[in-house]
Amino acid sequence: MSRRKDNYETSRWAKFIRWVDGEIDPLEHGMEIRVPERTEQSETLQTELKLPGTDRTEISQISADRERAIQERHIVRGLRRFRVFYQFMSVVLCAAIIFVLLWTVASLPPFGNAGNPGNNEVSARYIEQGLQETGAVNIVTGMILDYRAFDTFGESCVLFIASCCVLVLLRIDAASRDEQTKKRMEEAAYDRLYEPKNDIILQKCACVLVPLIMIFGIYIILNGHLSPGGGFSGGAVLGAGLILYLNAFGFQKTERFFTEKVYRRVTLSALTFYCLAKSYSFFTGANHLESGIRLGTPGAILSSGLILPLNICVGLVVACTMYAFYTLFRKGGM
């Protein structure tokens, strides 16, 4: 009789009756909330939460600090991996350059071989047919702005990239400006308006010399295909004139006609025209097409095809770069 009673107590019908009566809950074990395992971080947090005087604001601040610390650790790990990758790729790049240079040297003709040409035929071509093919009386200008025009374009781009790099390195981000840095910047901005402290001698000399320097620089650029000179030397003269004017009259008067926007527009326009013009000239010449660019009469100011406008572009880039370098290193801005 007791066995039957035990079987009845454990039977499904008895469990169903007790569930209907509300005596048991069949989902009690399935819905059990498991307590998470105690870790060192949770114990520390619980200890901090038990401290007297802690409120929800402090608790959220503590959790935010912990999340920030975890993010900083991830950033540090990423920087270490990038540094290792950067060093590895630097070694690979240097090894590749060394290999190419050594391979080139090994392929050069042996020194003193009787079969080597006595004179460089390229230089002979420049001297003998340079005037006929380029229209420039100045052989050097015809070489660097016609035969090797893309090399000169690369040099002009190097000047522009160098000025951009200096601007990036000397720039102070708004997020990293502390009170001392802001104070120094305000003092520098105030000093820019009133320099060079009204030096009468310097200003009078600049009034006489700056127009002469500018005219002489323009003359060198425009006659670069006729006489010694060109865009690089003429641009250096123009840049010196701008620097002298800045030293004499200060930033306030100089920025009336030469600002950062003027620098960007002039440099970008000059480099773009240079690239498009010589690309068109090289494309037509390489495909034996008529370019439509006349060389003119050798010795005339309007001659030598594209050499004159390219000289002007190079001169503008050089002048702007010289002035930009001076202003950036002097005051950190244009």
Side-chain angles (χ1 to χ4, degrees), residues 39-308:
T39 60
E40 182 179 356
Q41 182 177 0
S42 62
E43 291 178 356
T44 307
L45 184 60
Q46 289 180 2
T47 306
E48 293 177 352
L49 295 180
K50 292 178 181 178
L51 293 177
T54 27
D55 53 4
R56 293 185 177 180
T57 306
E58 295 178 356
I59 296 173
S60 60
Q61 183 65 30
I62 293 172
S63 60
D65 293 341
R66 293 186 179 279
E67 293 178 359
R68 191 180 301 109
I70 294 173
Q71 293 177 358
E72 290 177 355
R73 283 197 293 268
H74 287 300
I75 294 174
V76 170
R77 291 175 184 174
L79 290 176
R80 290 177 180 173
R81 294 174 183 174
F82 175 77
R83 189 177 295 109
V84 173
F85 175 77
Y86 179 81
Q87 294 174 352
F88 173 76
M89 293 305 298
S90 301
V91 173
V92 171
L93 179 62
C94 292
I97 294 175
I98 293 173
F99 173 76
V100 171
L101 293 177
L102 292 177
W103 187 21
T104 304
V105 172
S107 301
L108 292 175
F111 181 77
N113 188 5
N116 294 341
N119 296 308
N120 192 341
E121 58 185 20
V122 177
S123 60
R125 176 67 175 264
Y126 293 161
I127 296 172
E128 295 173 0
Q129 302 185 25
L131 179 62
Q132 179 183 356
E133 293 178 349
T134 64
V137 178
N138 187 355
I139 299 176
V140 177
T141 303
M143 179 186 66
I144 65 175
L145 288 177
D146 192 278
Y147 293 113
R148 303 178 59 185
F150 268 128
D151 294 343
T152 308
F153 175 69
E155 296 170 4
S156 303
C157 290
V158 166
L159 294 176
F160 177 69
I161 294 172
S163 59
C164 293
C165 293
V166 172
L167 180 62
V168 171
L169 292 175
L170 296 181
R171 179 181 178 183
I172 301 177
D173 295 331
S176 60
R177 294 177 184 173
D178 52 5
E179 294 299 329
Q180 188 175 2
T181 305
K182 291 180 179 179
K183 185 178 179 181
R184 287 201 305 267
M185 293 179 64
E186 291 175 358
E187 292 176 355
Y190 177 79
D191 187 53
R192 279 180 48 175
L193 299 177
Y194 298 100
E195 60 183 12
K197 309 301 184 274
N198 296 325
D199 192 336
I200 301 300
I201 298 177
L202 179 60
Q203 291 179 356
K204 294 301 180 182
C205 293
C207 290
V208 178
L209 293 178
V210 169
L212 297 177
I213 293 174
M214 292 296 183
I215 294 174
F216 183 60
I218 295 173
Y219 169 80
I220 294 175
I221 293 175
L222 296 181
N223 287 272
H225 59 296
L226 305 177
S227 60
F232 286 101
S233 53
V237 174
L238 291 179
L242 289 173
I243 293 172
L244 177 59
Y245 186 89
L246 174 64
N247 284 324
F249 298 100
F251 281 93
Q252 189 174 17
K253 290 187 178 180
T254 308
E255 289 177 351
R256 293 178 182 176
F257 61 91
F258 198 95
T259 60
E260 187 177 354
K261 292 182 179 180
V262 174
Y263 163 75
R264 290 201 301 260
R265 292 172 182 174
V266 170
T267 307
L268 181 61
S269 301
L271 292 176
T272 303
F273 175 80
Y274 192 115
C275 180
L276 295 178
K278 273 329 279 187
S279 298
Y280 169 75
S281 177
F282 281 172
F283 176 79
T284 54
N287 294 278
H288 304 286
L289 301 174
E290 182 64 29
S291 63
I293 303 172
R294 303 301 175 185
L295 298 180
T297 304
I301 187 68
L302 298 177
S303 62
S304 68
L306 289 173
I307 292 181
L308 177 60

